[in-house]
Amino acid sequence: MLDALAEAEQAAEIGEVPIGAVIVKDGQIIGRGHNMTETAKDPTVHAEMIAIRQAAQALGGWRLSDCEMYVTCEPCSMCAGAIVWARIKTLYIGTPDPKSGACGSVFNIADSEKLNHRVEIKTGLMQEECQALLKQFFKELRKKKSEELQL
C-alpha cells in the first residue's frame, strides 16, 4: 500500500484526485498508476485502469489471475468492473468511498454472485493515511476555489 500511496501523492502534485494503485504478482509490482483524468481529459484514466493496462502488458495477456491490487480508495463501478474482468484475485482497499464506491459501499460489483469472477476484498489497509491524503487535497481545492471566487 505504500507504493499505492506514493502514486496517489504523485497525482496530488499535478492536481489530480490523489488515488493510486499498484498490482502485484509473486511479490513484484507489475502495474502501477495514479489518477490522470484531468491531465488526459479522459474519464477512463483512473489509477486502477492504468495499473491494469500496465500489468496486462507486463504479463502479455489480460487475465491477471493470482494478482493482487492495492488501491488507496475504493474503486468506482468502472474500475470494479475492470478488476473483475481482469480476474484479479485480491483487492486491498485503503479507504472506502461512501459516495461512489463499487466494492462494498454503494455497490459491490467486485464480489457480486451474479458475475463470473469474484474478487476477494480486504478493506482498511492504511486507512488513516489514505483518508488524510484525500481530505487534505479536497480541503486545499475548496480553499483555492474560494480564493478564486473572491477575486
Side-chain angles (χ1 to χ4, degrees), residues 107-126:
F107 303 105
N108 198 347
I109 293 170
D111 192 28
S112 174
E113 294 176 4
K114 295 180 179 184
L115 298 176
N116 64 332
H117 176 73
R118 295 176 74 184
V119 179
E120 181 181 1
I121 300 170
K122 309 266 186 182
T123 60
L125 187 61
M126 297 184 71

Side-chain angles (χ1 to χ4, degrees), residues 2-73:
L2 286 173
D3 288 293
L5 268 168
E7 288 290 329
E9 289 168 358
Q10 286 182 33
E13 288 172 11
I14 60 171
E16 296 281 352
V17 174
I19 297 175
V22 296
I23 297 177
V24 176
K25 182 173 174 76
D26 300 327
Q28 299 288 345
I29 294 175
I30 60 168
R32 59 176 63 240
H34 55 268
N35 278 2
M36 293 289 293
T37 55
E38 297 296 331
T39 304
K41 309 288 189 254
D42 181 345
T44 68
V45 194
H46 288 192
E48 301 93 329
M49 302 297 280
I50 295 168
I52 287 170
R53 286 182 190 117
Q54 281 188 9
Q57 188 173 25
L59 295 179
W62 61 270
R63 287 180 183 89
L64 305 181
S65 305
D66 298 321
C67 290
E68 302 169 325
M69 177 182 277
Y70 295 80
V71 64
T72 57
C73 185

